[in-house]
Structure formats: C-alpha cells, structure tokens
Amino acid sequence: MDGLDDIVEEFLVESHENLDQLDTDLVALEQEPNSRERLSSIFRTIHTIKGTSGFLAFNRLEEVTHVGENMLSRLRDGELALTPTRTSVLLQMVDTVRSLLTSIESTGGEGTVDVSAVVAAITGAMEDGAAAEAPAAEPAAKPAATRVRKTAAKSTAAKAPAAKAAPARKAAPAKKAAPARAAATKAPAAAPIADVEDVAPEVPVTGSPLAPAVETPLPEATVPQPRPAADDEEHPQQEARRGVADSTIRVDVDLLDELMLLVGELVLTRNQIVQYVGRTNDTDLLRASQRLNLIASELQEGVMKTRMQPIDHIWSKLPRVVRDLGLQLKKTIRLEMEGRDTELDKTLLEAVKDPLTHLVRNSVDHGIEASDVRKAKGKPAEGVLTLRARHESGQVVVEVADDGAGIDSAKIGAKAVERGLISADALNRMGPQDLLQLIFLPGFSTAAAVTNVSGRGVGMDVVKTNIESIGGTIEVESQPGEGTVMRLRIPLTLAIVPALTVECSGDRYAIPQISLQELVALDAEKAATAVEEVGGAPVYRLRGELLPLVRLTDVLDLPSDRHDGHLVIAVLRSEGRRFGLVVDRVLNTEEIVVKALGGQLKSIGLYSGATVLGDGAIALILDVQALSRRALRTETTERQESREAAAAALASSDRDRQRMLLAAIGGGRRVAIPLDTVTRLEQVRTEAVERVGNREVVQYRGAILPMVRLDRHLGAYGETDREVLEVIVYSDHGRSVAIVVEEILDIVDGETAVRSDIDDMGLLGSAVLGDKVTELLDVRAAILAADPAFYDVPLNALPTTDAVAAPLLEV
Amino acid sequence: MSATADLKAPATGGQLATFWLDGDLYGVEVEHVQEVLRSQKLTRVPLAPTAVAGLINLRGQVVTAIELRERLGRKPRPEGTDAVVIVVRLHGEAVSLLVDSIADVVDVDATDFETPPDTLDGKARELIRGAYKLSGQLLLALDVQKAVSA
C-alpha cells in the first residue's frame, strides 16, 4: 500500500463503489431495458473510471472501459437495444475492471490481466446487435459467423473469445473448459475460427443467440489472472490487510453535520451537568460526571476527526499554479511545503482554498522578484515560496511566505492616501504594522501595471472577507528586501468554538477566543488615571501603545451595572487593529456551540450567533469584526458630521459670527478661509480636470468652473498625484471658482484667533486657530488667480474689494 | 412557494389554533404550530427591533420570541401576567410568538371568512388576513409569515 499514491487509492475506493453500483444497475436494467436514466448513470460511471484510468496511465483499464463506454453510449442514444447478451458482456466488463483494480491495488500496476477477450466480446456484441436487429426471425447462424470472422480478422487478440465462445455453447462442461483454456493462455490463432463456423449453425434462433456463450468466458477473465505477478510472500500480507475499499466507507456530509450538531448538544449538556455536580458532595455522581466529561470530549474529538482532511488536499494543486505562473512571469520559484498533513474541517478547507490560491499567486506575481533583480540584490536567483501549516492553540495557522521584495510600508501608505482610502492625517498616526494592513482595504492595489495575474485592486479585501467569514483572521508581516509572510488563522471547526463569556449589564455575551488577545483588569484607582481621552475618545496605554476603548454598554445602549470604578478590558484584534472592549465582568472561558440567529436579528449585524451556556441560559455571540467596524465608523461619521455641519453653516450663512474653514494645503501649512465666502465643499476626481489655455477648469453642474490650486498659489509643497481633489466652491453673482486644498480640516470660530500681521503673497496675515498658526487666505487674490475676470462686473457695482476681505480683518 | 399556498389554504376552511391577545381572538394555521409553552425565560437582545422580546432556549435551540402585542400595535401586557409562547415553524426555522393565553383549535369554514374590516388600523391591518365570523365572536386570522418578520 505504501507504494500507492493517494490519488490511486482514492480512485480505487471510488471505483469499487461504482462497480458495485454498476452490478446492481445492470441487473436492474435488464428488467427495465428502456430506462434511459439508469443507462446514463451507468455510462457516467464507466466514463469516470475511463477518464481517471487514462489520467493515471492504466492503459488496459482504459481500453476496456473505452469499448464499454462506446457500447453504453449507443445503448443510451437508442442506437442499440439492450439484449441479455449485451448485459452479459457489460457485466463481464465490470468483472474485468474489477480484476484490474484488484491487481492495481495489490501490485500497483495492471499486472497481467488480459482485457483483449472482453474488448472483443463487447465489440462483437455491438456489431452482432446491429446485424441481428432488423431481421429478428432470420437464422442467426450467418450473422454470428460473419461476426466472428470479422472480429478475427480485426486482431488476433479477438480470437480468444471466439474460441471460447464455441465450446461454451455446447453445454455445461464448457464452463470448466473456459478457465482451463485461459490458464493455458491464448488459444491458437486460426483453428478456433473454423470451430465457430462449424458450431454456429447449431445456435438456436433467438433474439440473443450468444448469451450463454459470452457469459462463460467471464470467470476466465477474472479468476486466473488477477495477480500472477504477486509472489507467495505477498499473499498472506494481502489477506491480513483489508482492501482499500473495505477499510473506508463514504458518509454523507449532512449526516456528519447532524452528528456534529448532536455532539454539540451533548457537550452543552455535559457542561451543564458538570456545573451542577460541582455543587454537590456526592462522590459517585462526581465520578460519573467526570467519566461523562471524558467521554463527551473524546466523542467530540472523534466526530470532529471524521470531518477532518489534510490541508494537502488543497495544497496539491498549488505546485502547478506556481510553476505555470512562474513560467509566465519568467521567474524561477521553488515551492516548499511544511506540515502538509495538518488537518482541518472539510467545510473550512473548501472555504480557504480560493483565498490561499490567491495569496500564492500574489506572492509569485508581486512578492518574488525576477531572477536578474534577485541576483543584483545578492539573493539566489531562485525564489522560494514556502507554505506552512500547523496547529496552534486550537487553531490552524497557515502561512504563505516568500523571500521576495517585501512590502514597502511607506509606499503602501502613500498609495492609500492617493487612492483616497485614508487621509494624510490618519497616515501620520499609523505605525508600520498598521500601514501594512492597508493592503486589505477594498480598492487597494500596488501593482504598477494591471496584469492578468493580479493588480486589479480586488483580491486582498476579498481574501480577508472570505477568511473572516469563517471566523478566521489574516495578518501580514513584511521586511522590505527580505520577504513577506501572510498568516491565516483558521478555527479547527466552525460548530464548536472556544469562547470567553463576559457579563454586561446583567446579560452574558460570548466573544470567540480567536479574536481575544489578552485581558486587562484595572482597579478603581488605576482606572481613574490609566484611561485617558484623545479627542473625546477613551484610550488606555497598554505597554506604551494607545489602545482605543469601546464600551460594550455604549455599543449595546445599555446601562452598566459596574459602579465600583473597576475596569475590565478585553483586548481584541480584528481587521489588523487592536481595540479594548470594556465589559462589566469576565466570567469564564468555555466551548460554545454556535447557533444561528433568526432572520429578525441578523440585520443588527452585531451578533454572529447565539449559544446556550452550561446553565441553560442563552448568550449572544459578539461579532468582533462588526464591533471594531462600528468603533471605526464613529471616527468617520464624526468627520462626516463636521462636514455636514459645515454645509449647514453655509446654508444659514450666519454673518454675525465669523466662522473660518480650516484647510490644509500641503507642507504642513494650514489656511483659514472665511466660511461665508464658501458655497459648497466638493470632491473632484483628478481626471475630471481639464485645461483651457494655461488654466485648469472642471465641469461642475453644467458650468465651467475655473480652478486654483492653493498649494501652488501660495507656494506650498502639496502632493501632486492625488486622485480626488478637495475643492471649495465659491460663488458670487452667478460666477464660481473652485479652490483646491489638500484637506478640509475643521471649522472654527474666528473670535478665538490671535492675529499677527506676518503675511505673504496671497495672504492677509496669520492667526492662531485651534492652537496652530494658521494663514488667513486672501480670498480675492486666490479667486483672481483662478478667474481674472471674476470681479469685473461686481467691481463696478460693489464698493470695494473689502467686501470680501473685511470680515477677516475684523477678527 | 408551497408556504404561500399553505397560508392561503385556511381561507377555504381548515383548522386554526386560536389564542387571546388584548381581548381579541386570533388564529394561526394549525400546521404551522409546533408547540405551545408556558412562560419562558427570555434573554434580551440589545438593539433588536422592538417587536423582538428576546431569545428562548427551546431544548437547546435558540428561538427568537416576537411580542405579538407590540407587533400588532397593542398596549403592553399588564405587569404580573405571563405570556404564553406559541412556537411556530416556518421554512424549517422555529420562531415563537408571545400571546396572552391559548384557546381552542377551531374548524373554520370559508363561507364565514371576510377580508379585514376597514376599521382595522394600519399596523395590524398588514398582519391580519381577515376575520371569521364565529357565533358571538370574531376570529382574526393572523398572517403568521408577516407577523414573524419583525
């Protein structure tokens, strides 16, 4: 068995089952010869065996199934009618196939099983039918004879069955004769033909003259030949070992799911009992419960194992992927695999297949450099892609590691800002590790060119979503110049997960252990000082790093029942960022069985399910991804709100209070623009910018809007290659201009500003707004830079330019 | 598809499991009803729609409980009175309805059926398929499908 490939073994198991089914099908078919459905099923089975045998280079097997398939396809298409003869040859074929399989199983090869007899018999049965069909009553003698002659003429191999067919027809003793002859190997070539010619006329004239004849060679094909090659030493071994087909059974996955569910229930009941028993002093009961505990655990493990498959099932396709892609990209890549027998749940295996393939393609395409580049960097020309899988604390860790160029986090950040995925400000706050996580943002791609391999900006976010949908996580580590490691953490199984139970406002909630990093408990004294606020958001300094805190009570909109000032923080990680979930109490870690929630509750999007705890109470399972997204979203909604507020302020155009719009223009400079000169805030895509003469314009609401880029106008160093431009639209007397800034920051009250008359071209001065020195924009000059004719008409009508500048000076 | 057919069936007669809710008699098709339970411990679900009273542990299964009073726009059940839980099974999923008390299974006749009276207010109107004129009592046929899609 050791010599047998997994694929061959699988093929054998499958084929043996198929053959048993075939036997039944064929016999049943005789009862209802017109069942197209049954014929199709038989055809498919034979076709499958043929296809696989061709693929595995079992030529004789292929040959015999090929003719069988031919016949079946004609039967199926109605070209041939099913006669007992044909059924017999088909059964004969099944037997031959079986003996071939036995030989393959025992020796790894087809051995000396002879298929020519069966092939000829089938071919014969096909042609015979064609001739005999029309004149049903006509004596079969002639057709039979011609058939035999024809076959004989075709190949010498075909003669064997003919020879056997002849004596067989005579009577019962022929049965003995057949094997005897077979043992004596092939019959002499020419003689049997004469035999047949002589005998043929004796055949009774029926619709199926050859039925008994063909049936007899059947044992001959199976019995003597299976393993002549197998020497005596091997025989006892084979007896002792169960056949491949006998040692496994196929089970419906649904049945396993059902079992898994029941075991889940058992585990819950076990938890319940163990909990109750813990409160009593009954030693017998205690012992029984311990035994129950043990058995339930083992049963759970056992049932889980039935669904486990080695990761090699999905890895086995990757060498080909890497090879083809390597060739295409002209890279030399060696694929190494570690831990290919690591097992995980079948459904999970299916779920990680595509993401894993994507990661591998990505590594080959972007990660590993071309050979000459590698040599230039002093690396070996051959790139190494390593797949690693291992079990680690109840999870399966799968890594895709390459020794390629690595990911330049600075580049990633710049790209993300350019794509408008994050703000430049947010970028400055991010560490290198956070920056790497940006590759998982939707619409992100760093590929310089879109190839047919990757670079369309879809992919990593999809990979992430897929992994997270099965409760897994993905992280990326990269050293520029040294390589990248993509690490997937996948739960062993979906149905039963280890979880932390916490209490919040009197209710219990479960948090999947996979997202939990650590627990922090602070007493009242410490909590009072350790939790600080950044812009109204609470943070905790966890070993020097700021950990944003999310109060579960706030998220759930419940009052906390913890009034002693103690603080319990569950440090969770999701989507590559950490946050602290403040709960009332931490209760326990236990294994929970995930139950789906009803449709009415799915839309809340905060719970990934519910579970029944040991005492029968229900706990909702928190969806950590959703929690973190919610926490993140508040950040963006705040931004949104400030923008809406700006718009609202514009609408009211309250001239009494001088309000300023703060905008960054690049190079760390900030300018203040009087809010009442602003009509709208817009975003314009760079590609929408057109040129008229040496001016930039953009089409806006059916008009041509002249643009001025404040960074150029004021001589700041702004980023030039942004995709989305932040634009402030200023309108007056039916004319509008667009003022391009880098980022809209805030709206402040002008009263608080401290003015200074340090100014420059295009500025009216500077002031301290929001603790920072801010330049006051000379709006008129800026507008004139965009549209020199802007004030032409109003200049005559309006008193002075002070109409615009005045409010600023009153500050 | 078949569920829709099932729901229409009682209009031509059939059996309704009936229950009381705020003084009115309602009925649901008997084939949807899985079981009826005395008051159960409810686990609340923060942020859930108001009609969701909570979750019930039904022999290890987690089942959503819909407060039918809320769903029909009636006033809350008086303090101190326990709800009765009717577990219905729709598309293989169990959902439970909280009602005041359970009544008989009634054979209804299509000839007694009438579409909802015009006086029925908006919220309830969507959920009531119509009324059967029983002797001395109106039986309101609940559209259980709509009632549970809180």
Side-chain angles (χ1 to χ4, degrees), chain A residues 580-652:
Chain A
L581 187 70
V582 180
V583 298
D584 284 353
R585 247 165 239 104
V586 167
L587 300 173
N588 202 357
T589 59
E590 56 187 291
E591 293 197 318
I592 59 167
V593 180
V594 180
K595 312 263 183 193
L597 284 176
Q600 305 86 355
L601 303 175
K602 281 192 183 123
S603 58
I604 305 172
L606 200 55
Y607 315 111
S608 58
T611 188
V612 178
L613 297 175
D615 61 356
I618 293 173
L620 287 157
I621 303 168
L622 295 175
D623 184 339
V624 175
Q625 266 87 35
L627 261 180
S628 105
R629 239 171 263 149
R630 238 171 226 236
L632 284 178
R633 205 183 299 148
T634 52
E635 219 173 83
T636 42
T637 40
E638 271 166 28
R639 247 176 82 102
Q640 201 77 37
E641 275 164 11
S642 77
R643 242 187 239 179
E644 275 162 19
L650 292 178
S652 67

Side-chain angles (χ1 to χ4, degrees), chain A residues 76 88 140 163 165 228 339 364 373 403 412-413 418 431 451 513 571 629 641 670 693 741 796 800:
Chain A
R76 187 191 56 179
S88 302
V364 174
V373 179
D403 66 344
I412 297 283
E418 181 197 313
T451 65
Q513 203 92 18
V571 182
R629 239 171 263 149
E641 275 164 11
R670 312 203 307 171
V741 297
N796 303 335
T800 56

